[in-house]
Amino acid sequence: MNAISPRTLAVRVQPLPEPVIQCPHCQGDIKLTESLAAPLSFAVTDFQIATLSIVRPDATQEIRGLHAALFGNSKQLKAELKSLQTQYGALRGKIEIGAETPFALDGHLDLTAPDPQEYVANAKFGGSLLNAEVSVDATARNAIASAKLALAPYEAQPLTHLAFTAKDFDPRTWVANAPAAKRSGEGRLTADEARRLDGSFDLKNTDPGTIDDKKLPFAQLSAVVQGTLEELFL
């Protein structure tokens, strides 16, 4: 650890052995602090973990090849994901969060398949932690999908807005044992002042079939959606 100044620290962290995070009670409300300002400037310039096991009561999840950096001061926090290997491919990205409310948010996250010709996905973050905005664009062979999402994470009903479009989307590209389909469509949901949702979606499947043939048994599906998330998922 090298002291740069009385209020600045720079740290280089060597690769760690396999750690395990126990999370027996990962439930309950999360309350946001009034400030994320660091009492001193810091920089963790090279943080590496070969394998991280996250143990929960119902499952254990592993992530591999984590290579990251963290920075912070009285004005903002920054995180850089230099590399992370997942079952879907390699993740890279950066994110910046303002230290004071409403905690301005800016960043991106990119996913590339082991074979880049299979699929790529990119997410961009904006807004703030109190009212976050996310846009996602993905391509998979000949398929294209995009979505825009607005969230108020600390509201009882967090979804503010959702809009998506998709063309020739085959879920097997992402999940090998999923039913085959070629889905295209669009949808939109928007919350009113009472946080009740209103919208619709329309999906078409140009390759329908039976479940026994590992396909989806519909050619077109449309719906009008109204109510809270709790009401919609009951």
Side-chain angles (χ1 to χ4, degrees), residues 61-66 81 83-92 109-114 119 174:
Q61 183 179 4
E62 287 191 352
I63 57 178
R64 300 178 181 274
L66 174 61
L81 181 60
S83 66
L84 175 62
Q85 298 300 322
T86 73
Q87 61 178 323
Y88 300 107
L91 279 172
R92 297 177 183 270
L109 187 64
D110 305 317
L111 172 67
T112 304
Y119 57 80
W174 307 90

Side-chain angles (χ1 to χ4, degrees), residues 120 136-147 164-170 174 183-185:
V120 294
V136 179
D137 294 288
T139 59
R141 298 177 185 172
N142 295 324
I144 299 174
S146 64
F164 72 87
T165 61
K167 181 180 179 182
D168 295 334
F169 184 81
D170 187 348
W174 307 90
R183 289 184 290 186
S184 300

